[in-house]
Amino acid sequence: MPLHVPPAPAPALRTVLTALGSPTAVREARTPSLRSAQGPATPDLPLPVHVLDRITPAGASATRLAGWRFLIRCGERAVAAAETRLTPDGWAFSHFFEGPYVTATERALRQAETMNGSYQARLLSVPELYMLTLWLHGDCAADGAEGHPAATDLLVPLAPAPPGIAAHRPHRVAELLPVLTHRLTPTPAPLLGSPA
């Protein structure tokens, strides 16, 4: 399948390149893999990171763009990621990080390349569930910084996924959101004086 990666804003990329070129930024990063990397580190596969703040029984509320994430490659593998965020003064470098979501993102992107259909790659965070998904948006020409999940879009939960949700298994938004809604629905508290 053709997997489309939307172009990152040029100022966001510049902030990551500046941080990678700064020995202080790399040395102070809490990413041992990046500090010990042999050879040049290059930003790759920029993905817009959207946040889904609320899920209602009717579906997803609109998402908001939280930033852009770049995988940082040394040679053939991603060793870390860089996050940028939008500030009142424009795009700013936020931080480097490593961990399971870096390798899970890379794995999910490889998996998506073998699927049928064309998709635009994004990331969708569901903070209430501590969940991050690869969001495969069906409109490849859409602005990667805008929109909300369409019912036919695919979400691929990244590992580690919340209990009971299989990581790296693609789900249609229309199928996964009801499951997430159920998980986020608070259990009603017992009334005072009623049997527990």
Side-chain angles (χ1 to χ4, degrees), residues 152-157 165-176:
T152 56
D153 287 354
L154 295 176
L155 297 177
V156 182
I165 296 176
H168 296 287
R169 182 172 166 252
H171 301 270
R172 293 240 176 256
V173 167
E175 297 164 356
L176 186 58

Side-chain angles (χ1 to χ4, degrees), residues 19-148:
L20 282 171
S22 164
T24 304
V26 172
R27 189 173 49 251
E28 291 178 2
R30 291 189 172 105
T31 56
S33 295
L34 186 57
R35 286 195 310 265
S36 64
Q38 300 296 316
T42 56
D44 191 27
L45 296 170
L47 297 172
V49 180
H50 293 263
V51 175
L52 183 60
D53 288 317
R54 275 186 346 121
I55 303 172
T56 66
S61 62
T63 62
R64 64 180 168 85
L65 181 68
W68 283 79
R69 181 172 296 174
F70 298 77
L71 293 181
I72 305 300
R73 286 199 184 287
C74 285
E76 294 297 313
R77 67 183 197 97
V79 296
E83 193 95 12
T84 63
R85 59 184 167 75
L86 190 57
T87 70
D89 296 325
W91 287 99
F93 172 75
S94 178
H95 61 281
F96 291 116
F97 67 94
E98 63 182 71
Y101 284 136
V102 173
T103 54
T105 301
E106 196 170 35
R107 176 182 168 186
L109 287 166
R110 280 194 312 269
Q111 178 185 358
E113 289 172 348
T114 66
M115 295 178 185
N116 293 327
S118 294
Y119 296 98
Q120 183 187 81
R122 304 171 174 196
L123 293 172
L124 181 66
S125 172
V126 185
E128 290 178 277
L129 292 175
Y130 302 99
M131 180 178 178
L132 185 64
T133 69
L134 177 63
W135 170 12
L136 299 173
H137 189 51
D139 183 358
C140 296
D143 181 348
E146 296 179 359
H148 64 279

Side-chain angles (χ1 to χ4, degrees), residues 7-17 68 70 91:
L13 175 59
R14 276 195 301 272
T15 67
V16 172
L17 291 170
W68 283 79
F70 298 77
W91 287 99

